Amino acid sequence: CKACRAMAPYFYKLAQTHQDIQFVEVPVTDKNANLHQGLGVPSLPYGHIYHPQGGLVEELKINRRHFPKFQKVVHSYAQTNCDLIDGDTTDPYPDPEKESAGAGAGANRSAKVPV
């Protein structure tokens, strides 16, 4: 899709930055459309982050508006820490759409807890 092609350079640059993480691109084709539907992908481009011990841990939009959040989350996992305060389940990386509307829950979190 057009949005996927627009985000490809950013995705590949992030993959080059984190060579210890496996990045996989799964383009939508007629042959694998059921795969994307089965994974619950609501829109493209979209990213899943899997952890070796935890399985699927994040599902994020990775279009131009949401890529900075995706990048922060990838960096957080790469550093083997989590930006959540122990016991806190709010999102430390607020949705840019909600943040621009003035609701940036968790935006001031800075504590890092080892995963």
Side-chain angles (χ1 to χ4, degrees), residues 83-85 88-93 105-112:
D83 287 340
L84 290 177
I85 297 170
D88 186 359
T89 59
T90 58
D91 187 349
Y93 308 111
N108 295 323
R109 302 248 189 300
S110 62
K112 302 223 184 251

Side-chain angles (χ1 to χ4, degrees), residues 40-82:
V41 174
S43 62
L44 295 173
Y46 199 75
H48 282 177
I49 298 176
Y50 293 86
H51 189 273
Q53 286 83 36
L56 177 63
V57 292
E58 301 281 349
E59 300 178 274
L60 303 155
K61 293 179 183 179
I62 55 173
N63 57 26
R64 189 174 306 271
R65 180 178 209 161
H66 294 93
F67 193 81
K69 177 179 178 176
F70 177 73
Q71 190 172 24
K72 286 178 185 177
V73 171
V74 168
H75 287 310
S76 177
Y77 282 102
Q79 296 170 359
T80 64
N81 62 43
C82 176

Side-chain angles (χ1 to χ4, degrees), residues 2-63:
K2 185 177 179 179
C4 296
R5 286 189 302 273
M7 293 311 301
Y10 301 99
F11 180 81
Y12 296 136
K13 183 177 180 179
L14 185 61
Q16 285 297 316
T17 302
H18 295 287
Q19 293 184 10
D20 55 328
I21 297 174
Q22 183 176 4
F23 285 75
V24 178
E25 179 182 3
V26 183
V28 177
T29 66
D30 291 339
K31 293 179 182 180
N32 72 3
N34 290 338
L35 171 67
H36 288 81
Q37 291 172 353
L39 290 172
V41 174
S43 62
L44 295 173
Y46 199 75
H48 282 177
I49 298 176
Y50 293 86
H51 189 273
Q53 286 83 36
L56 177 63
V57 292
E58 301 281 349
E59 300 178 274
L60 303 155
K61 293 179 183 179
I62 55 173
N63 57 26

